[in-house]
Amino acid sequence: EKLIPAGIPKKAKRRVISCDNVVLVPYLHEHVPRYNKWMQDPSILSLTGSEPLSLEEEYDMCRQWKEDDEKITYILLSPNVDEGSDAQSANAEAADAKSPTTTDDGSSKTRQWVVDRLDRMVGDANLFLSVCEELGDRGELVSSVFEAELEVMVAEPSARRGGIATQACRILIGEAFGLGVERVFVKIKDGNDGSRKLFEKLGFALVRYVECFGETEMELKAPLPTDPGVVFSDYIEPHT
């Protein structure tokens, strides 16, 4: 696999995105303790094919992912019906703090809006961007595909089966095709029947089963219809 094409906009990975049943926010330093606690659960580790990390390692991973243009990661929040659109709420708070000459305070305000909602964390969703190249017998390039691997996890049991994972996937599928990928694919571990049904419902087709890893690969090669109820707000990290 090769590096992703140059020019992928960094702002694609720093946004607040909301709809009726889920809010996606950037993965921040403040999210790490709860995320790390989730990732000590043996059942979650098994279904996601992950290894447990120490809290220090998780902080380091958060920093690395923030700086890596090949990874787009969001924390999933349960929505607050009393606030209306969460992205619009974040925008409004940031706008209130801005002055005509600087956006620093506005950016900090948006960040504080996200930090104030740590108690609403329910999971995460990620895109891993790459270019897969197929070479011929003489080493010549036969094909090149810009693609995105999609992962989603709803860690809080009380938040499952409410459409959060489905909506988060629809949003990130739109993000991926908006960046120009030719396909979005998922890898589903044996026994994770819920994920398989989710992606079948979204229109993913079977690609292959890899017996040695105990996982099924499925793909989607065309974007899904746009949801008019999704609201976006650019997230700008404050200067320190």
Side-chain angles (χ1 to χ4, degrees), residues 68-81:
D68 190 340
D69 290 338
E70 297 178 20
K71 296 180 176 65
I72 300 174
T73 185
Y74 286 101
I75 291 295
L76 307 182
L77 308 181
S78 60
N80 185 340
V81 295

Side-chain angles (χ1 to χ4, degrees), residues 86-154:
D86 284 279
Q88 290 176 336
S89 173
N91 264 342
E93 290 196 20
D96 288 344
K98 287 180 182 178
S99 72
T101 58
T102 180
T103 61
D104 288 354
D105 288 343
S107 301
S108 299
K109 193 77 170 181
T110 307
R111 188 182 197 285
Q112 190 59 48
W113 184 96
V114 175
V115 171
D116 285 345
R117 286 151 181 82
L118 297 179
D119 61 329
R120 286 165 52 186
M121 290 175 61
V122 296
D124 77 326
N126 310 289
L127 288 172
F128 304 100
L129 306 175
S130 64
V131 175
C132 182
E133 294 186 347
E134 180 182 351
L135 302 179
D137 295 337
R138 295 189 295 272
E140 75 279 13
L141 181 64
V142 175
S143 65
S144 177
V145 178
F146 180 29
E147 59 187 13
E149 181 178 359
L150 170 62
E151 291 184 351
V152 63
M153 173 185 74
V154 178

Side-chain angles (χ1 to χ4, degrees), residues 203-231:
F204 281 69
L206 177 65
V207 176
R208 64 177 66 87
Y209 176 71
V210 183
E211 187 172 1
C212 62
F213 294 124
E215 63 185 20
T216 299
E217 181 178 329
M218 304 177 73
E219 69 178 6
L220 186 69
K221 290 189 172 183
L224 300 174
T226 302
D227 185 346
V230 177
V231 180

Side-chain angles (χ1 to χ4, degrees), residues 42 48 57 82 87 94 130 158 164 169 180 197-198 200 209 215 233:
T48 59
E57 289 171 328
D82 295 330
S130 64
S158 62
I164 287 177
C169 286
K197 290 177 182 177
L198 164 64
E200 287 175 345
Y209 176 71
E215 63 185 20
S233 169

Side-chain angles (χ1 to χ4, degrees), residues 22 24-25 27 35 38-39 44-51 53 58 61 65 70-76 122-129 147-155 164-176 183-189 192 195-196 198-199 202 204 215-220:
V22 68
L24 286 72
V25 299
Y27 183 28
Y35 183 84
W38 289 338
M39 299 309 292
I44 291 179
L45 293 174
S46 175
L47 291 174
T48 59
S50 303
E51 295 292 333
L53 299 178
E58 202 76 70
M61 186 70 71
W65 282 31
E70 297 178 20
K71 296 180 176 65
I72 300 174
T73 185
Y74 286 101
I75 291 295
L76 307 182
V122 296
D124 77 326
N126 310 289
L127 288 172
F128 304 100
L129 306 175
E147 59 187 13
E149 181 178 359
L150 170 62
E151 291 184 351
V152 63
M153 173 185 74
V154 178
I164 287 177
T166 299
Q167 190 61 58
C169 286
R170 292 182 67 90
I171 289 171
L172 284 196
I173 288 167
E175 291 278 277
R183 77 170 191 134
V184 176
F185 69 97
V186 295
K187 295 178 180 179
I188 303 169
K189 287 292 184 182
N192 196 346
S195 285
R196 180 159 186 153
L198 164 64
F199 290 111
L202 288 170
F204 281 69
E215 63 185 20
T216 299
E217 181 178 329
M218 304 177 73
E219 69 178 6
L220 186 69

Side-chain angles (χ1 to χ4, degrees), residues 228-239:
V230 177
V231 180
F232 299 86
S233 169
D234 287 346
Y235 176 92
I236 306 171
E237 190 72 38
H239 298 298

